[in-house]
PDB file of all heavy atoms in Angstrom:
ATOM      1  N   GLY A 167       1.454   2.793 -18.525  1.00 92.00           N
ATOM      2  CA  GLY A 167       0.906   3.274 -19.787  1.00 92.00           C
ATOM      3  C   GLY A 167      -0.585   3.498 -19.658  1.00 92.00           C
ATOM      4  O   GLY A 167      -1.171   3.302 -18.585  1.00 92.00           O
ATOM      5  N   PRO A 168      -1.235   3.897 -20.752  1.00 94.00           N
ATOM      6  CA  PRO A 168      -2.678   4.153 -20.711  1.00 94.00           C
ATOM      7  C   PRO A 168      -3.471   2.901 -20.353  1.00 94.00           C
ATOM      8  O   PRO A 168      -3.093   1.781 -20.706  1.00 94.00           O
ATOM      9  CB  PRO A 168      -2.997   4.612 -22.144  1.00 94.00           C
ATOM     10  CG  PRO A 168      -1.683   5.033 -22.722  1.00 94.00           C
ATOM     11  CD  PRO A 168      -0.647   4.168 -22.077  1.00 94.00           C
ATOM     12  N   LEU A 169      -4.583   3.103 -19.651  1.00 92.00           N
ATOM     13  CA  LEU A 169      -5.462   1.994 -19.326  1.00 92.00           C
ATOM     14  C   LEU A 169      -6.255   1.569 -20.558  1.00 92.00           C
ATOM     15  O   LEU A 169      -6.569   2.396 -21.418  1.00 92.00           O
ATOM     16  CB  LEU A 169      -6.443   2.410 -18.227  1.00 92.00           C
ATOM     17  CG  LEU A 169      -5.871   2.769 -16.858  1.00 92.00           C
ATOM     18  CD1 LEU A 169      -6.990   3.255 -15.937  1.00 92.00           C
ATOM     19  CD2 LEU A 169      -5.172   1.573 -16.243  1.00 92.00           C
ATOM     20  N   PRO A 170      -6.612   0.286 -20.650  1.00 92.00           N
ATOM     21  CA  PRO A 170      -7.553  -0.135 -21.692  1.00 92.00           C
ATOM     22  C   PRO A 170      -8.853   0.652 -21.555  1.00 92.00           C
ATOM     23  O   PRO A 170      -9.207   1.064 -20.443  1.00 92.00           O
ATOM     24  CB  PRO A 170      -7.759  -1.627 -21.401  1.00 92.00           C
ATOM     25  CG  PRO A 170      -6.570  -2.020 -20.585  1.00 92.00           C
ATOM     26  CD  PRO A 170      -6.182  -0.826 -19.789  1.00 92.00           C
ATOM     27  N   PRO A 171      -9.571   0.889 -22.653  1.00 94.00           N
ATOM     28  CA  PRO A 171     -10.756   1.757 -22.614  1.00 94.00           C
ATOM     29  C   PRO A 171     -11.765   1.396 -21.523  1.00 94.00           C
ATOM     30  O   PRO A 171     -12.269   2.283 -20.826  1.00 94.00           O
ATOM     31  CB  PRO A 171     -11.358   1.579 -24.015  1.00 94.00           C
ATOM     32  CG  PRO A 171     -10.183   1.262 -24.871  1.00 94.00           C
ATOM     33  CD  PRO A 171      -9.263   0.431 -24.025  1.00 94.00           C
ATOM     34  N   GLU A 172     -12.061   0.114 -21.358  1.00 92.00           N
ATOM     35  CA  GLU A 172     -13.054  -0.273 -20.355  1.00 92.00           C
ATOM     36  C   GLU A 172     -12.570   0.059 -18.945  1.00 92.00           C
ATOM     37  O   GLU A 172     -13.322   0.581 -18.117  1.00 92.00           O
ATOM     38  CB  GLU A 172     -13.350  -1.770 -20.462  1.00 92.00           C
ATOM     39  CG  GLU A 172     -14.442  -2.249 -19.512  1.00 92.00           C
ATOM     40  CD  GLU A 172     -14.762  -3.717 -19.692  1.00 92.00           C
ATOM     41  OE1 GLU A 172     -14.338  -4.307 -20.710  1.00 92.00           O
ATOM     42  OE2 GLU A 172     -15.438  -4.288 -18.812  1.00 92.00           O
ATOM     43  N   LEU A 173     -11.292  -0.207 -18.679  1.00 91.00           N
ATOM     44  CA  LEU A 173     -10.720   0.075 -17.374  1.00 91.00           C
ATOM     45  C   LEU A 173     -10.592   1.583 -17.161  1.00 91.00           C
ATOM     46  O   LEU A 173     -10.806   2.086 -16.050  1.00 91.00           O
ATOM     47  CB  LEU A 173      -9.356  -0.603 -17.240  1.00 91.00           C
ATOM     48  CG  LEU A 173      -8.849  -0.895 -15.823  1.00 91.00           C
ATOM     49  CD1 LEU A 173      -9.845  -1.714 -15.033  1.00 91.00           C
ATOM     50  CD2 LEU A 173      -7.504  -1.622 -15.904  1.00 91.00           C
ATOM     51  N   ALA A 174     -10.265   2.317 -18.216  1.00 94.00           N
ATOM     52  CA  ALA A 174     -10.164   3.771 -18.114  1.00 94.00           C
ATOM     53  C   ALA A 174     -11.506   4.396 -17.757  1.00 94.00           C
ATOM     54  O   ALA A 174     -11.579   5.331 -16.946  1.00 94.00           O
ATOM     55  CB  ALA A 174      -9.638   4.358 -19.424  1.00 94.00           C
ATOM     56  N   ALA A 175     -12.574   3.873 -18.342  1.00 95.00           N
ATOM     57  CA  ALA A 175     -13.908   4.389 -18.039  1.00 95.00           C
ATOM     58  C   ALA A 175     -14.272   4.116 -16.579  1.00 95.00           C
ATOM     59  O   ALA A 175     -14.805   4.995 -15.884  1.00 95.00           O
ATOM     60  CB  ALA A 175     -14.937   3.763 -18.974  1.00 95.00           C
ATOM     61  N   ALA A 176     -13.962   2.912 -16.106  1.00 95.00           N
ATOM     62  CA  ALA A 176     -14.256   2.569 -14.713  1.00 95.00           C
ATOM     63  C   ALA A 176     -13.429   3.429 -13.757  1.00 95.00           C
ATOM     64  O   ALA A 176     -13.926   3.874 -12.710  1.00 95.00           O
ATOM     65  CB  ALA A 176     -13.973   1.084 -14.471  1.00 95.00           C
ATOM     66  N   HIS A 177     -12.172   3.680 -14.123  1.00 96.00           N
ATOM     67  CA  HIS A 177     -11.325   4.524 -13.287  1.00 96.00           C
ATOM     68  C   HIS A 177     -11.876   5.947 -13.223  1.00 96.00           C
ATOM     69  O   HIS A 177     -11.947   6.548 -12.144  1.00 96.00           O
ATOM     70  CB  HIS A 177      -9.895   4.529 -13.838  1.00 96.00           C
ATOM     71  CG  HIS A 177      -8.991   5.500 -13.148  1.00 96.00           C
ATOM     72  ND1 HIS A 177      -8.760   6.760 -13.634  1.00 96.00           N
ATOM     73  CD2 HIS A 177      -8.283   5.407 -11.988  1.00 96.00           C
ATOM     74  CE1 HIS A 177      -7.948   7.406 -12.822  1.00 96.00           C
ATOM     75  NE2 HIS A 177      -7.638   6.600 -11.826  1.00 96.00           N
ATOM     76  N   GLY A 178     -12.275   6.488 -14.359  1.00 97.00           N
ATOM     77  CA  GLY A 178     -12.836   7.829 -14.378  1.00 97.00           C
ATOM     78  C   GLY A 178     -14.080   7.949 -13.520  1.00 97.00           C
ATOM     79  O   GLY A 178     -14.274   8.950 -12.810  1.00 97.00           O
ATOM     80  N   GLN A 179     -14.924   6.936 -13.561  1.00 98.00           N
ATOM     81  CA  GLN A 179     -16.133   6.933 -12.729  1.00 98.00           C
ATOM     82  C   GLN A 179     -15.781   6.888 -11.251  1.00 98.00           C
ATOM     83  O   GLN A 179     -16.412   7.563 -10.430  1.00 98.00           O
ATOM     84  CB  GLN A 179     -17.009   5.738 -13.105  1.00 98.00           C
ATOM     85  CG  GLN A 179     -17.627   5.831 -14.488  1.00 98.00           C
ATOM     86  CD  GLN A 179     -18.296   4.534 -14.918  1.00 98.00           C
ATOM     87  OE1 GLN A 179     -18.313   3.551 -14.183  1.00 98.00           O
ATOM     88  NE2 GLN A 179     -18.836   4.527 -16.132  1.00 98.00           N
ATOM     89  N   ALA A 180     -14.747   6.107 -10.915  1.00 98.00           N
ATOM     90  CA  ALA A 180     -14.342   6.000  -9.512  1.00 98.00           C
ATOM     91  C   ALA A 180     -13.777   7.322  -8.997  1.00 98.00           C
ATOM     92  O   ALA A 180     -14.061   7.737  -7.865  1.00 98.00           O
ATOM     93  CB  ALA A 180     -13.323   4.880  -9.342  1.00 98.00           C
ATOM     94  N   VAL A 181     -12.952   7.998  -9.802  1.00 98.00           N
ATOM     95  CA  VAL A 181     -12.402   9.292  -9.388  1.00 98.00           C
ATOM     96  C   VAL A 181     -13.523  10.311  -9.212  1.00 98.00           C
ATOM     97  O   VAL A 181     -13.533  11.084  -8.239  1.00 98.00           O
ATOM     98  CB  VAL A 181     -11.367   9.788 -10.421  1.00 98.00           C
ATOM     99  CG1 VAL A 181     -10.963  11.239 -10.139  1.00 98.00           C
ATOM    100  CG2 VAL A 181     -10.136   8.889 -10.396  1.00 98.00           C
ATOM    101  N   ALA A 182     -14.493  10.310 -10.126  1.00 98.00           N
ATOM    102  CA  ALA A 182     -15.625  11.232 -10.006  1.00 98.00           C
ATOM    103  C   ALA A 182     -16.428  10.941  -8.741  1.00 98.00           C
ATOM    104  O   ALA A 182     -16.869  11.872  -8.048  1.00 98.00           O
ATOM    105  CB  ALA A 182     -16.517  11.128 -11.244  1.00 98.00           C
ATOM    106  N   LEU A 183     -16.614   9.662  -8.427  1.00 98.00           N
ATOM    107  CA  LEU A 183     -17.344   9.307  -7.212  1.00 98.00           C
ATOM    108  C   LEU A 183     -16.575   9.744  -5.971  1.00 98.00           C
ATOM    109  O   LEU A 183     -17.159  10.283  -5.020  1.00 98.00           O
ATOM    110  CB  LEU A 183     -17.590   7.799  -7.176  1.00 98.00           C
ATOM    111  CG  LEU A 183     -18.302   7.259  -5.923  1.00 98.00           C
ATOM    112  CD1 LEU A 183     -19.682   7.894  -5.753  1.00 98.00           C
ATOM    113  CD2 LEU A 183     -18.421   5.733  -5.992  1.00 98.00           C
ATOM    114  N   ALA A 184     -15.267   9.524  -5.964  1.00 98.00           N
ATOM    115  CA  ALA A 184     -14.450   9.952  -4.821  1.00 98.00           C
ATOM    116  C   ALA A 184     -14.572  11.455  -4.608  1.00 98.00           C
ATOM    117  O   ALA A 184     -14.725  11.930  -3.469  1.00 98.00           O
ATOM    118  CB  ALA A 184     -12.993   9.563  -5.045  1.00 98.00           C
TER     119      ALA A 184
END
Side-chain angles (χ1 to χ4, degrees):
L169 296 176
E172 184 177 346
L173 203 55
H177 173 265
Q179 292 170 0
V181 170
L183 178 60

